[in-house]
Structures are given as structure tokens and as C-alpha cells.
Amino acid sequence: MSNASLSPLPSADRPDVTARLRDALLGASFTADGLLELLGAPAYAALSRSETVPALRATRGDTPLELLVRLFLLQQLVPHARVADVLPVDACLESGWLDRAGDDEVAATVDVRPYGGPGGEDWFIVSDLGCAVGGAGGIGNHAEGVVLGVGGASTTLAGLTVRTPVSAALDLGTGSGIQALHAAAHATRVTATDVNPRALHIAALTLALSGAPAADLREGSLYEPVADDETYDLIVSNPPFVISPGARLTYRDGGMGGDDLCRSLVQQTGERLNEGGFAHFLANWQHVEGEEWTDRLRSWVPRGCDAWIVQREVQDVTQYAELWLRDAGDHRGDPADYQARYDAWLDEFEARKVKAVGFGWITLRRTGAAEPSVVAEEWPHPVEQPLGETVRAHFDRVDYLRSHDDAALLEAHFTLSGEVVQEQVGLPGAEDPEHVVLRQNRGMRRATRVDTVGAGFAGVCDGTMSAGRILDAIAQLVGEDPVALRDRTPAQIRLLVEQGFLEPA
């Protein structure tokens, strides 16, 4: 399909109407909290799964909030006279937020979804009809230039991003403007790019309707619209990372072969980052026969950057193809077309010797260190969002460990991080556990095995004694040579610091 199947968009040049519309939405409690209270948790959660029946049942009344949910989220026609009691209806019709349907009803031209900001802000995400609910798996069409609303990927990226005040932020592939909206809360200047001009228009609507400052919106792919001498303190991107044969859908298919789009994006970022600046990406990458995925991703990291790469999920090529065929609705079409498209995906993977596809996060930080740190790991387990502070702390620990050799570690003081628990595993009745596990209940929620010395060391770290003195005391308790213990333990201390179990006092 082409853009011709998409509705005309509201005007982005009527700030007076947008401000009045925003005031009316807030006045009716059309907010994230208001939605949750009206719908209840089950119906609210069902919306994210693209299921609208519970929400339709919960909005059969005649309150202003129920009317707005039906209009802007559920794509229902509503009476013109009733809308006039809630919204500046004539101005919304004139500027294109609403459209007439018959003699006495109106319809929304775009979806508007309430979205709670991290500081309690009441924001609104604008997207194409049918795309505010459920993200890519939503209830609307999948026309070529369609612009999606809030999905799991966009909220994941927003939660990962380090939120410190910065001068300049860049959102690559802004879509409906979610990342630009978040950045506007802590960046003096926000630039947002997208290859799809419709997305830039919708991003402008999102920012305006949310009461946020306007961004510098530029059309083009990735870094193309950015001048060579422009650099940023923060770069974020939820790019069209799907590894697919061809580029059917702008919002998801990058149009480059394999994982080249994600690789190019990461490799080109180093020269765009200011010293100490962060870049955060979601990405897919190929698992190629005869190659470790970690080696593949390490080769992407630009010079002069620390990196933290986390693989969250791996799918074999059949699972991956089926996921994105369902995303496009191909499973509901002609079976022969579905089979042909499925074959095309598998042909592409076979030609590239791809056996699986990984999904995860990539964070870069510009550094002046002689030897940048590149950590690539697999962590498919539940984590605690938002993770931005956890990400920032990871790179702080990288700096600390880089500047402390083993001798300095033994002179240092540490404290046990908050909400760390110890688990002992062994046979019932055994005198000693087979192994001891330290587990975090916050952030990445890591678990790591330690020996009895490591567990004892972590347990008494309260910042009052140096690491070396603690080891000397443990050596005396267990009857071990203190020099030998000091020699072999720093590696374990370093790991506990690196993973966030211990913090420098």
C-alpha cells in the first residue's frame, strides 16, 4: 500500500488549536492515570495487546473521558453535539484533528494516546489511526508510510536512556516522536530525523500536544540530514532494525542487506558524540554460522567509545520470519502469498548463512581512555525499568575499575549495594553449601556465583574497612595465608564491582 491509503493529518501550524485541544483533554482527565482509573488494569493491559473489546465495554457511558477514549483510541464515531461539549470541535474540524462523518457524527483523523512522562508529565503520543493500541501488532493498517504509536520497543529504549541534563540530543528515526519528547525534558536542543516526512509531521504534533518545546525536524535516513561538524551529548534510535528481504514497511524494514543498517548506525556514531556523551540503540543482529555473535557486535563499536551490549532474546530464523509475517498481517491473507514471502525470508537467511537473529540493546559512551571497555553479554532475564540510572552506573564503574589496579582495589573501601540477597545451594543436611549465589533485586537483577570467601567479603563491606584488611581478617578466620588470599581475590572483587554488587565507598 502507499501513503494514499492514510488519512490527511492535522495541521502542525495551528498552535492555538493544539493548546486548546490539550487543555480540553486534560480537563476531561484524558491522561494515563485517568485511563487506568476508567478502564481498570485488565482492560488497560488488553489495549497493549491490541485487544479493544474490554475497553469498549468500559466506555459505554456518556462521560467526557469515555467519549474521548472511544474517539481517539478506539476509532469510534461519536455524536457531534456531544463532542462540542468536551472539545473545541469547530477548531478541531477546521485544523484537521477531527473529520465529519455523516450529518451528526465526527471521527478522529489520528490516534492520540495519553502517555505518562517520567516526572509525572501528562504527554500525548500522536500516531496514525489504529496504531496507538498495541504498537506494531496494532489494530490499524500497515500502509507503507504508516507511523506507529507507543510500543514495547519505544518504551524500552526510553527507559534505558541515561537522563542527565545535556545541551544537544539527537533522535534518529523519530517516528511518532516518543524519544524526542523524552529528550526535550532534559536537553536544551533536540534534533530529530526520519526518512518518512509523515513521521516528522506526526512528531511535531506529539511535541506540541504534549506541551513540549519544538524540535529541529529533518528529513533523511539516519545521519544523512546531520552536518559533518554537528555533535551531540545524547543520541537515541529505535531504528527500522528488522532483518528482512526487501523494504516493504518503512517503520520496521531498513532497506539494507542483513543487519547492515544497525551496523552502519553504530559505526557512524562515534564521531557524532561529544566526550562523555551517550548513544542508545535497539538493534537486531545476525547469528552467522562459524562466527560468535559477540565478535560480530564488538566489530561494530567505533573507536574511542566504551560499549555495553546486551542480548535480550534470540530467535531461530523460522520464529523470526513468522513474527514479522504476523506483524504485517500476512498470515491473514492468501496462503500462497504467505508461503512465498516465508520462502523469501528463509532464502535470504540461507544465502547469508544466518542461523538465528538476536535482539537487544547497544549503549555507547565517548571516552578518552586509551583502552575502551567493550562488554557484550547475554541477559534474557527480567530487569527493572527504567534502567537509565543502572546504565549510567555501569559506565561509572568502568571508569573506576579502569583507574584502579589490584593494589589500589585492596586499599579501597566498598559497600554492599542495596537489596542484594544471598542464596545457598546444596544437598539437604549438608554441612557446607555446594555454591553461594548473590542476587540483586533491583536494576539488571543479576545473579552471580561466589565462593565462601567472596560471600563473606561482600557481607562485611560497609565502607569502614579497606578490602585488604577485610581479606586479612577472613584469612585469619579460615586459616589461610593472607598473602595468597590477597593475590587471588582481587579478580572476584573486580567482578562484583563490575556487576554492581559492590560500590566504592
Side-chain angles (χ1 to χ4, degrees):
M1 285 187 277
S2 69
N3 285 6
S5 64
L6 297 170
S7 300
L9 294 173
S11 171
D13 300 320
R14 291 294 304 273
D16 55 328
V17 177
T18 305
R20 291 172 63 193
L21 175 57
R22 173 176 169 79
D23 289 343
L25 297 177
L26 294 175
S29 297
F30 188 64
T31 63
D33 289 341
L35 271 187
L36 182 59
E37 184 176 349
L38 170 67
L39 302 179
Y44 188 80
L47 283 179
S48 66
R49 302 192 301 270
S50 312
E51 298 291 347
T52 59
V53 172
L56 285 167
R57 291 171 61 86
T59 56
R60 291 182 290 196
D62 196 39
T63 67
L65 180 54
E66 289 169 300
L67 182 91
L68 293 176
V69 172
R70 290 199 301 273
L71 179 65
F72 284 120
L73 275 183
L74 303 178
Q75 302 149 54
Q76 304 296 300
L77 301 180
V78 296
H80 178 284
R82 187 69 190 95
V83 175
D85 294 333
V86 182
L87 301 177
V89 64
D90 291 337
C92 288
L93 284 166
E94 178 194 358
S95 59
W97 287 96
L98 300 177
D99 203 3
R100 290 192 180 274
D103 294 332
D104 57 358
E105 291 183 312
V106 297
T109 58
V110 288
D111 276 339
V112 177
R113 176 156 186 162
Y115 182 77
E121 302 93 341
D122 288 315
W123 290 339
F124 299 98
I125 309 301
V126 180
S127 62
D128 272 314
L129 286 174
C131 295
V133 175
I139 59 179
N141 67 56
H142 284 77
E144 180 184 339
V146 72
V147 179
L148 301 184
V150 182
S154 53
T155 54
T156 293
L157 179 60
L160 283 173
T161 303
V162 174
R163 302 293 176 192
T164 55
V166 296
S167 295
L170 174 64
D171 176 15
L172 294 169
T174 189
S176 57
I178 299 167
Q179 308 308 323
L181 180 59
H182 276 277
H186 64 102
T188 304
R189 175 172 57 88
V190 176
T191 302
T193 73
D194 205 290
V195 71
N196 183 1
R198 187 176 182 87
L200 296 175
H201 189 129
I202 286 180
L205 296 174
T206 289
L207 291 165
L209 193 59
S210 298
D216 179 3
L217 302 172
R218 306 181 189 179
E219 183 180 344
S221 177
L222 303 179
Y223 287 110
E224 285 177 6
V226 179
D228 291 341
D229 60 349
E230 288 184 273
T231 57
Y232 298 87
D233 308 298
L234 173 67
I235 298 174
V236 293
S237 185
N238 176 17
F241 52 65
V242 176
I243 300 171
S244 59
R248 291 173 59 203
L249 300 173
T250 306
Y251 72 85
R252 71 168 205 193
D253 300 323
M256 296 187 189
D259 52 16
D260 283 355
L261 182 134
C262 290
R263 176 185 56 78
S264 298
L265 174 60
V266 174
Q267 288 180 337
Q268 294 173 22
T269 295
E271 60 194 34
R272 307 290 187 176
L273 273 179
N274 293 326
E275 185 76 18
F278 284 93
H280 304 272
F281 309 108
L282 300 186
N284 279 185
W285 45 80
Q286 299 172 151
H287 284 229
V288 179
E289 292 178 15
E291 176 187 67
E292 290 293 329
W293 74 267
T294 52
D295 293 338
R296 185 178 192 84
L297 270 292
R298 286 174 183 274
S299 73
W300 292 7
V301 178
R303 294 179 59 184
C305 287
D306 293 323
W308 185 19
I309 301 161
V310 181
Q311 180 166 273
R312 296 287 289 157
E313 184 179 0
V314 181
Q315 291 185 322
D316 68 47
V317 291
T318 60
Q319 292 173 310
Y320 189 79
E322 290 161 14
L323 169 67
W324 295 110
L325 287 166
R326 287 194 303 271
D327 168 81
D330 292 326
H331 61 303
R332 296 191 293 266
D334 186 298
D337 289 344
Y338 177 83
Q339 182 175 339
R341 286 190 170 129
Y342 200 151
D343 265 333
W345 284 73
L346 297 186
D347 285 345
E348 180 84 2
F349 286 134
E350 185 176 335
R352 294 178 177 275
K353 298 184 178 180
V354 175
K355 58 184 179 179
V357 177
F359 170 83
W361 319 321
I362 300 173
T363 298
L364 305 178
R365 185 189 60 167
R366 188 76 184 177
T367 180
E371 295 185 17
S373 165
V374 178
V375 176
E377 60 175 323
E378 185 162 19
W379 188 253
H381 310 294
V383 298
E384 180 191 40
Q385 281 277 30
L387 272 173
E389 185 58 26
T390 298
V391 173
R392 186 199 58 76
H394 166 88
F395 288 94
D396 286 348
R397 293 193 299 271
V398 165
D399 286 340
Y400 179 86
L401 292 172
R402 195 155 42 200
S403 63
H404 287 68
D405 60 15
D406 287 355
L409 279 185
L410 293 175
E411 292 297 321
H413 295 236
F414 299 97
T415 58
L416 186 65
S417 300
E419 297 196 41
V420 173
V421 297
Q422 176 177 306
E423 301 172 357
Q424 297 188 173
V425 181
L427 294 173
E431 185 173 339
D432 296 312
E434 292 179 19
H435 59 262
V436 179
V437 174
L438 299 182
R439 187 179 301 277
Q440 301 166 347
N441 286 319
R442 304 298 303 272
M444 290 292 285
R445 293 177 172 157
R446 293 187 184 278
T448 190
R449 288 178 61 168
V450 293
D451 60 20
T452 53
V453 170
F457 178 88
V460 297
C461 279
D462 59 6
T464 59
M465 295 174 61
S466 70
R469 288 187 60 195
I470 293 174
L471 290 178
D472 291 343
I474 292 175
Q476 188 172 0
L477 281 174
V478 300
E480 188 169 340
D481 179 4
V483 175
L485 196 60
R486 278 176 172 253
D487 284 345
R488 70 176 175 86
T489 307
Q492 192 168 192
I493 297 174
R494 193 171 290 276
L495 178 65
L496 292 175
V497 173
E498 178 185 319
Q499 296 192 343
F501 290 93
L502 295 178
E503 298 175 355

